Amino acid sequence: MSGRLSDAVAPRPSSRRDGTFTGRIFDVVREDVDLGDAGTVLREYVDHPGAVAIVALDADGNVALVDQYRHPVRSVLWEIPAGLLDVEGEDAQRAAARELAEEADLRAERWDVLADFLTSPGGSNEALRVFLARELTPVPEAERHVRTDEEAAMQVRWAPLDDVVAAVLDGSLHNPSTVVGALAAFAARAGGWSALRPADAPWPYRRGALPR
C-alpha cells in the first residue's frame, strides 16, 4: 500500500446508545456497534468534550511549563498549558489563548497547529489539539487570572525545548500533551517550521464533528 498515510473517519452504525454515568466533565456511554460480518459488539467509552494544549515558545527556544497535581496518578506533573473545550462551539484557538493566559500569564501574537491526537481511542473519544504559540508577551499584573483548586499553587517554569524533549525520552515527563507537543515542536523546528498548519486548520475529530 502506497500513498500518504491518513486516518479515515468511517463510523459503523450503532443500534443502541445509552448512558451509564453522567459526570461533571465527561460521561460514560454504552453502544451496540454493528461490525457487519463480524457481528454486533457492545462498546463502552468515555464521551469527552476534548481539549487544547499550547507549546509556548519564546525567542530563545524555551518552552513554558506549569506544574499541576493530577490525582488519578497521585503526582505533580510538569505540563504545557492546556484546558478543556467545555464551552459549546468555542473556537479552539480562542480557547487555547484563554488557557495560556490563565495558566501561564502569557499572550501570543502568532498561533499555529502543531499536532492533533486522540488520547485513548480504544476507550475515549477525547480529541486534543496542540498549538504552537510564539511572539509572547506577559499578561499585565492587574489582568491576571486568579487560579484556584489544583491550579492555585501552579508555577511557571521555562526550559529549553531540547531539554524538554530529553526529559520526555528519558522517562522523566509523562503528560501526554507535553510528550506530543515537545516531540512535534522538535520535529517541526528541524523542518524549518514548514509542517505547521494554520490555527484554524480542519479538525475532523473534535467532538461534534464526528457523525453519530
Side-chain angles (χ1 to χ4, degrees), residues 23-90:
R24 185 174 64 87
I25 295 174
F26 57 78
D27 304 331
V28 177
V29 298
R30 177 188 290 119
E31 293 187 358
D32 290 326
V33 184
D34 183 356
L35 299 179
D37 292 342
T40 299
V41 296
L42 172 65
R43 292 292 177 261
E44 296 172 336
Y45 64 92
V46 173
D47 187 17
H48 194 284
V52 289
I54 309 99
V55 174
L57 191 69
D58 72 12
D60 297 319
N62 298 305
V63 176
L65 299 172
V66 296
D67 62 337
Q68 186 163 350
Y69 176 66
R70 297 298 189 180
H71 186 67
V73 294
R74 273 62 172 179
S75 299
V76 177
L77 304 182
W78 283 104
E79 309 176 353
I80 58 175
L84 295 169
L85 288 168
D86 51 3
V87 177
E88 186 77 25
E90 184 177 28

Side-chain angles (χ1 to χ4, degrees), residues 11-171:
R12 276 37 172 186
S14 58
S15 56
R16 175 174 66 99
R17 175 185 171 92
D18 59 53
T20 62
F21 170 79
T22 299
R24 185 174 64 87
I25 295 174
F26 57 78
D27 304 331
V28 177
V29 298
R30 177 188 290 119
E31 293 187 358
D32 290 326
V33 184
D34 183 356
L35 299 179
D37 292 342
T40 299
V41 296
L42 172 65
R43 292 292 177 261
E44 296 172 336
Y45 64 92
V46 173
D47 187 17
H48 194 284
V52 289
I54 309 99
V55 174
L57 191 69
D58 72 12
D60 297 319
N62 298 305
V63 176
L65 299 172
V66 296
D67 62 337
Q68 186 163 350
Y69 176 66
R70 297 298 189 180
H71 186 67
V73 294
R74 273 62 172 179
S75 299
V76 177
L77 304 182
W78 283 104
E79 309 176 353
I80 58 175
L84 295 169
L85 288 168
D86 51 3
V87 177
E88 186 77 25
E90 184 177 28
D91 175 76
Q93 185 270 319
R94 185 184 299 273
R98 183 185 66 249
E99 295 296 337
L100 182 62
E102 290 183 358
E103 294 195 352
D105 301 321
L106 292 170
R107 292 172 176 163
E109 287 297 318
R110 184 167 183 178
W111 291 86
D112 300 280
V113 173
L114 268 175
D116 298 326
F117 70 101
L118 303 172
T119 58
S120 184
S124 173
N125 63 358
E126 181 183 9
L128 198 147
R129 168 160 281 188
V130 184
F131 288 94
L132 176 67
R134 290 176 287 176
E135 300 178 15
L136 306 172
T137 56
V139 174
E141 288 277 355
E143 299 176 23
R144 293 186 178 180
H145 177 70
V146 178
R147 295 189 274 269
T148 60
D149 300 326
E150 290 92 342
E151 296 179 356
M154 183 178 282
Q155 305 173 80
V156 180
R157 176 175 174 179
W158 291 90
L161 176 59
D162 290 354
D163 290 358
V164 179
V165 170
V168 167
L169 296 179
D170 73 14

